Amino acid sequence: MILLALLVLLQTAPTPPGEDPVAPYAMSDANVGGGPFKGVAMLEAFHGVAGIDRIVDDLVKTSQADPRIGDIFKGQDMIRLRRTLKEQFCVLLNGGCSYTGRDMATAHKDLGIQAKDMNALVENLQAAMRHEGVTFSNQNAFLAKLAVMKPNVVTR
């Protein structure tokens, strides 16, 4: 019985087309790194799942081209990154999604991210949210949700 429970916990979703396979891990919305907002007001402020998709696509594109942090993304599975970021944002914004990514510490463990790297990423996220028309106060509320992840992301 315990072995069966462990096998269920250590499952991973089938590898979507274009993504690199990863070692099995315990999938859980708890891996998202924080709790979701209550209600749908924040989801609506981000223009729903379609708005989340546009924000993440803008964020990833801008960050890859950003000379301050672009090298961090080289050699990474960008298809998986886009998908799991969209899931993460959707879970945090209470959009009815599930998160299939790894926990924040595991996902960022070998990237050598410094505080200045995270600051640059946050600037790019703010620009993407502005571009989507998310108000400043809603941006700040969302960034506060993400800020609790910093100790698990910044490793240097």
Side-chain angles (χ1 to χ4, degrees), residues 1 39 43 51 80 97-98 113 133 139:
M1 182 71 156
L43 179 65
R80 179 179 177 77
C97 304
S98 292
I113 296 175
Q139 289 178 38

Side-chain angles (χ1 to χ4, degrees), residues 123-136:
E123 288 175 17
N124 293 341
L125 175 55
Q126 288 172 306
M129 290 188 292
R130 260 191 323 272
H131 188 251
E132 181 61 29
V134 177
T135 66
F136 187 71

Side-chain angles (χ1 to χ4, degrees), residues 58-156:
D58 189 354
L59 169 65
V60 170
K61 179 181 174 186
T62 302
S63 296
Q64 282 182 287
D66 188 329
R68 300 172 296 173
I69 58 174
D71 285 346
I72 294 170
F73 297 95
K74 289 183 179 164
Q76 302 300 320
D77 184 345
M78 299 311 295
I79 295 170
R80 179 179 177 77
L81 175 66
R82 273 188 186 87
R83 180 180 61 77
T84 56
L85 273 176
K86 289 175 182 183
E87 290 174 359
Q88 181 187 41
F89 287 13
C90 185
V91 168
L92 291 172
L93 292 167
N94 201 18
C97 304
S98 292
Y99 181 68
T100 64
R102 294 172 285 186
D103 66 271
M104 295 299 103
T106 302
H108 298 90
K109 181 177 82 171
D110 297 323
L111 298 178
I113 296 175
Q114 300 177 50
K116 66 180 179 131
D117 303 324
M118 188 164 182
N119 292 341
L121 184 75
V122 168
E123 288 175 17
N124 293 341
L125 175 55
Q126 288 172 306
M129 290 188 292
R130 260 191 323 272
H131 188 251
E132 181 61 29
V134 177
T135 66
F136 187 71
S137 61
N138 286 325
Q139 289 178 38
N140 283 341
F142 187 64
L143 291 173
K145 285 276 186 193
L146 298 176
V148 300
M149 300 173 202
K150 185 175 181 177
N152 293 316
V153 173
V154 176
T155 59
R156 294 189 336 167

Side-chain angles (χ1 to χ4, degrees), residues 37-48 93-95 134-135 138:
F37 287 96
K38 304 280 188 234
V40 296
M42 282 297 288
L43 179 65
E44 291 171 355
F46 278 67
H47 307 122
L93 292 167
N94 201 18
V134 177
T135 66
N138 286 325

Side-chain angles (χ1 to χ4, degrees), residues 12-49:
T12 184
T15 304
E19 287 186 24
D20 298 331
V22 297
Y25 56 91
M27 289 189 300
S28 169
D29 281 352
N31 289 349
V32 83
F37 287 96
K38 304 280 188 234
V40 296
M42 282 297 288
L43 179 65
E44 291 171 355
F46 278 67
H47 307 122
V49 174

